[in-house]
Amino acid sequence: MWTLSAEETAAALPWGALVEALLQMFERERRGEAHASPRTSVALAAGGVMLLMPAADLRFAALKTVTVHAANAARGLPVVQCNVTLMDATTGTRLLAMDGNVLTARRTAALSLAGAIRAGRTGTARMLLIGAGVQARAHAEAFAQVWGIRRLEIHARTQANAEELARRMRSLDVDASAVADLAVAAKQADLIVAATSSQDPVVPPQVRPDATVIAVGAYRADMAEVPPELVRRSAVFVDTLEGARGEAGDLIRAGIDWSAVQAFCNASPAREGRPVLVKTVGHALWDLAAAQLAYANRQQWQQ
């Protein structure tokens, strides 16, 4: 079994190919050729928790193992540690182990792109990014490379962090800047991405009628990045209906009509004239898709 470092994991998951791998996984899910079991949570010592996320299709199986120890911050250790193992579904042979933190960041950003494509959106001129952490950086890089964004504005709770990310994106030839007035920026952007850990909405309710809003930060029912009034007037797309019903606080708070919500695997493009909301909460199938892509690229990282 090969083991990839964080740097090797990133190199094995190029943005464009990763988006395509996820789109293909949506189709396998739709055809009933891929499935995942519910996430298992195991309590650990010192208040820690271990999460197990298995998935399989006709050729491969993957297991994502995550441990979370809040006290590690005071120890100078990572709070979240994660790895993904890819196996042959027929024999169980272990094929590949990858850095799960890097894989998660990259597949989450690629999932936002794939979800937007399933919603009928294929590009943007002006992007507003709310947040400046790991997920925000991954989304900035992914949308810059795949959609070629021309203008990027970044708003974060700490202005210095927004400015630092803007400098990095300028080094990648993106016209990027940190902005303080979030409401004004939201009215001008045709793409808004929220990647924060906020428990209360951070996306302003007033956006362009053709705006695409992507929310990836809120992962519990008591968290929300998008205000209920914006959720209710948007065409809503989610990575999985089951996960969204239990974890998408943005949608739960809004009391939406779930019959109108489309999962990526069965989605039809949204009609014009209203905002599109893409909400993801994560799923083991997306980790499987990423691990398969990395394994397909093995000739590159074996050299």
Side-chain angles (χ1 to χ4, degrees):
M1 180 176 69
W2 290 285
T3 299
L4 302 189
S5 66
E7 294 75 15
E8 290 168 333
T9 298
L13 300 173
W15 292 118
L18 184 52
V19 171
E20 182 57 35
L22 288 164
L23 291 170
Q24 292 174 8
M25 182 58 75
F26 298 161
E27 287 302 306
R28 290 200 291 278
E29 181 188 15
R30 182 184 62 82
R31 295 194 299 264
E33 298 173 357
H35 62 278
S37 298
R39 182 169 54 198
T40 299
S41 177
V42 180
L44 300 179
V49 63
M50 178 170 61
L51 306 173
L52 303 175
M53 301 170 61
D57 63 12
L58 299 179
R59 295 185 58 201
F60 297 98
L63 176 64
K64 183 177 186 177
T65 306
V66 185
T67 54
V68 184
H69 291 83
N72 275 4
R75 303 184 181 107
L77 296 172
V79 171
V80 179
Q81 300 175 73
C82 177
N83 70 283
V84 176
T85 303
L86 182 71
M87 296 159 267
D88 185 296
T90 301
T91 66
T93 301
R94 272 57 176 171
L95 302 172
L96 180 65
M98 307 176 63
D99 185 290
N101 294 69
V102 172
L103 181 147
T104 300
R106 293 184 76 86
R107 68 86 160 140
T108 302
L111 182 64
S112 293
L113 275 157
I117 291 170
R118 294 294 285 183
R121 304 299 169 93
T122 57
T124 183
R126 189 164 185 162
M127 174 178 173
L128 169 62
L129 179 60
I130 305 175
V134 171
Q135 280 296 345
R137 173 176 168 175
H139 277 75
E141 293 178 358
F143 278 90
Q145 185 167 125
V146 179
W147 275 5
I149 56 171
R150 299 192 296 271
R151 182 79 179 96
L152 171 63
E153 295 180 317
I154 305 166
H155 176 90
R157 182 172 53 186
T158 302
Q159 182 76 359
N161 293 341
E163 292 172 349
E164 180 181 355
L165 181 53
R167 283 194 295 271
R168 170 173 175 75
M169 294 310 298
R170 288 195 295 271
S171 73
L172 300 177
D173 297 324
V174 176
D175 180 11
S177 62
V179 296
D181 195 327
L182 186 55
V184 170
K187 290 179 181 178
Q188 297 172 341
D190 51 3
L191 170 65
I192 301 171
V193 175
T196 75
S197 58
S198 178
Q199 292 196 1
D200 296 304
V202 294
V203 177
Q206 298 303 318
V207 302
R208 288 172 43 160
D210 62 344
T212 301
V213 179
I214 297 175
V216 301
Y219 57 91
R220 299 195 311 260
D222 62 344
M223 301 173 69
E225 296 179 296
V226 184
E229 58 266 41
L230 177 54
V231 174
R232 286 192 287 263
R233 71 172 190 269
S234 299
V236 181
F237 296 80
V238 299
D239 55 339
T240 68
L241 280 170
E242 180 182 9
R245 284 179 180 273
E247 300 175 354
D250 313 75
L251 311 186
I252 295 169
R253 285 193 191 185
I256 62 166
D257 176 5
W258 287 99
S259 67
V261 177
Q262 296 194 66
F264 294 167
C265 66
N266 294 309
S268 298
R271 296 179 180 177
E272 297 181 359
R274 62 190 299 204
V276 161
L277 171 59
V278 174
K279 173 63 187 172
T280 65
V281 295
H283 195 268
L285 284 179
W286 320 147
D287 302 314
L288 174 62
Q292 288 178 352
L293 173 63
Y295 187 66
N297 289 336
R298 62 190 180 278
Q299 290 184 341
Q300 299 178 21
W301 45 260
Q302 281 181 294
Q303 296 176 355

